[in-house]
Amino acid sequence: MQVADLPPVEHDAFDYVQTSGGIEEYRLRANGLQVLLLPSAAAPVATFMVTYRVGSRNERAGLTGATHLLEHLMFKGTERFHKDRGTSIFPVLQRVGAQINATTWYDRTNYYELLPKEHLGLAVEIEADRMRNARVSADDLASERTVVLNELDRGENESTRKLLHALYATAFFAHPYGHPTIGWRSDVERVTAEGLRHFYDTYYWPDNATASVIGDFDRAEALALIEQHFGAITAAPDPFEHNVTEEPPQQGERRVTVRTAGQLGAVMLGFKSVAALDPAADAVDVLGVALGGGKSARLYRYLTDRGLTTSVFAYAPRLRDPGLFIVYGALAPDVTHATVEAALWDALRAIADEGITEAELRRAKNQIVTSEAFGRDGPYAVASELNEAIAAGDWTLFTTYIDRIERVTLADVQAAAQRTFQRDTMTVGLYDPILPDADEPGRPSSN
């Protein structure tokens, strides 16, 4: 979705801030709500999305999973939009053909509607209403708690997810990235409606949110709708506290093993990486694709082609605070954890010591550019990508991404590898499957 920059809209209720890549930024003067507009008339639909700068990184011990559980309760509605009045959010929006959902992650929570352009006002009205008028009742919590606990149970049966959670919990002693976004089970079981209400009253305010409108709409009319429905909401009564405990420097290799029922083992390595706004983050993205971007990438050729693994991947989520660079290998039959761990380490250190080739750099860039093109196909796809840039702390990361990736050099990638792949900042996770009728876990794959 490529559009030319337009002159900003003059509106008494908004301050124009900037334009980048066709996206205009405004601020609602009454309460500080950030507004992003990206008009495109490719299809007669529009996406309206509200992104809150609150995720699992804002949760304290005993309240893990609150962000995700609150996201569920937000669909239980308000006094105006509620099943008791026959106005539940889902049916009201689905009657006009809207697709509606929400997601939660470490740094953000977002709610969105993709709907025919003539119904954009309905989405704006509902999101404004539930920003400050959500019911968050004990009865609704009881029903949604069951839903979330079922999600947790399903996750318990996914070995890769369990290994990932164990790896993060071992790598992060102090920072909240150490607990999963869905929360620890005991916290989900015990959290009260009062606890969630306090969380809601702390973070769900216009000056902690971004409203994005993408698709076929009139910019002046969209601003008028946002002012009409969000303008009466006050700014938060207290400043937001976004600082969280910093993770102390890791000073030695850490290890964790997960044993559950399964067939084949796996090795997952996690290295302390950079924050999303770090100047080296783009080179880290290229490094991840050079390692794990399909059958032509390093890990596949070094491990899977040699019969050591059945699958491999590498990636580094771009988060607000420094996160992890993840490298994974699923063991082929009769191959040990030690063999795959050593092969992974050798592949990583080869890039740190020698770098990648010009052909690998070009291939990685092409894959990123192509993936971004597919990932920006349509209003919702754009909203989804933009959402992560908002959460990272700078929405223009989205509009400038391709140009920045094209500027990454061979030296940048090698420097990123040297900085990342260090023994002392590595956490090793092993999945050691318990075979059916096995006398002991981990056979036949063992160290």
Side-chain angles (χ1 to χ4, degrees), residues 214-230:
I214 300 157
D216 189 4
F217 64 92
D218 180 87
R219 295 178 299 151
E221 291 178 3
L223 289 179
L225 282 171
I226 291 170
E227 195 277 333
Q228 176 187 347
H229 293 292
F230 284 90

Side-chain angles (χ1 to χ4, degrees), residues 160-198:
T160 303
R161 180 182 297 190
K162 283 186 67 71
L163 184 57
L164 187 68
H165 288 173
L167 192 81
Y168 268 84
T170 305
F172 290 99
F173 287 169
H175 193 283
Y177 287 162
H179 69 257
T181 297
I182 198 170
W184 300 121
R185 187 179 187 87
S186 62
D187 290 345
V188 175
E189 289 174 335
R190 295 169 186 163
V191 68
T192 64
E194 290 73 21
L196 292 181
R197 166 61 68 176
H198 178 74

Side-chain angles (χ1 to χ4, degrees), residues 34 70 85 94 100 149 155 203 222 246 331 353 399 405 409 440:
Q34 183 184 50
L70 181 59
R85 299 168 59 96
Q94 288 173 336
I100 173 175
L149 288 174
Y203 292 107
E246 292 185 17
L331 275 58
D353 294 339
T399 56
I405 287 296
T409 67
E440 59 182 301

Side-chain angles (χ1 to χ4, degrees), residues 117-160:
K117 66 177 185 179
E118 61 271 25
H119 297 297
L120 175 61
L122 179 61
V124 176
E125 180 183 4
I126 288 175
E127 292 302 345
D129 189 42
R130 67 176 170 176
M131 175 176 278
R132 291 301 320 139
N133 298 317
R135 293 186 11 148
V136 194
S137 72
D139 287 344
D140 289 338
L141 171 59
S143 64
E144 287 308 304
R145 194 197 314 271
T146 300
V147 173
V148 173
L149 288 174
N150 285 336
E151 284 186 47
L152 267 165
D153 289 340
R154 290 197 300 273
E156 289 296 303
N157 296 322
E158 297 176 15
S159 60
T160 303

Side-chain angles (χ1 to χ4, degrees), residues 167-429:
L167 192 81
Y168 268 84
T170 305
F172 290 99
F173 287 169
H175 193 283
Y177 287 162
H179 69 257
T181 297
I182 198 170
W184 300 121
R185 187 179 187 87
S186 62
D187 290 345
V188 175
E189 289 174 335
R190 295 169 186 163
V191 68
T192 64
E194 290 73 21
L196 292 181
R197 166 61 68 176
H198 178 74
F199 200 77
Y200 173 77
D201 286 338
T202 301
Y203 292 107
Y204 278 63
W205 295 93
D207 42 339
N208 193 42
T210 300
S212 303
V213 190
I214 300 157
D216 189 4
F217 64 92
D218 180 87
R219 295 178 299 151
E221 291 178 3
L223 289 179
L225 282 171
I226 291 170
E227 195 277 333
Q228 176 187 347
H229 293 292
F230 284 90
I233 303 174
T234 64
D238 301 304
F240 298 103
E241 180 51 75
H242 284 297
N243 293 325
V244 299
T245 304
E246 292 185 17
E247 184 67 21
Q250 186 172 335
Q251 296 175 313
E253 180 182 319
R254 300 171 187 171
R255 306 182 75 85
V256 61
T257 300
V258 172
R259 294 190 176 99
T260 62
Q263 293 293 329
L264 295 173
V267 176
M268 186 178 286
L269 308 181
F271 298 87
K272 292 290 169 49
S273 189
V274 298
L277 300 185
D278 190 289
D282 296 326
V284 171
D285 284 356
V286 175
L287 175 62
V289 176
L291 277 166
K295 294 184 177 180
S296 59
R298 284 283 181 109
L299 294 183
Y300 194 96
R301 290 186 284 118
Y302 275 45
L303 286 95
T304 306
D305 274 352
R306 293 166 56 198
L308 301 179
T309 54
T310 58
S311 64
V312 290
F313 64 73
Y315 73 107
R318 292 187 75 144
L319 302 177
R320 178 177 178 136
D321 301 322
L324 289 183
F325 191 112
I326 304 292
V327 181
Y328 173 87
L331 275 58
D334 300 324
V335 177
T336 68
H337 292 88
T339 298
V340 169
E341 181 183 336
L344 286 172
W345 177 252
D346 288 345
L348 304 180
R349 284 308 306 178
I351 293 183
D353 294 339
E354 303 165 12
I356 62 175
T357 67
E358 183 65 42
E360 288 177 309
L361 178 66
R362 187 65 262 163
R363 186 163 53 239
K365 289 182 177 181
N366 288 343
Q367 286 182 266
I368 292 174
V369 170
T370 302
S371 176
E372 284 295 305
F374 285 129
R376 300 179 181 199
D377 185 16
Y380 169 66
V382 170
S384 181
E385 298 281 327
L386 182 59
N387 185 49
E388 303 308 333
I390 295 168
D394 181 0
W395 64 266
T396 66
L397 284 177
F398 170 78
T399 56
T400 61
Y401 186 56
I402 300 302
D403 289 341
R404 299 195 325 270
I405 287 296
E406 291 292 0
R407 290 196 292 269
V408 172
T409 67
L410 290 171
D412 294 334
V413 176
Q414 185 172 6
Q418 291 171 340
R419 176 178 175 176
T420 304
F421 302 138
Q422 301 290 330
R423 286 271 187 200
D424 284 346
T425 62
M426 178 173 71
T427 301
V428 180

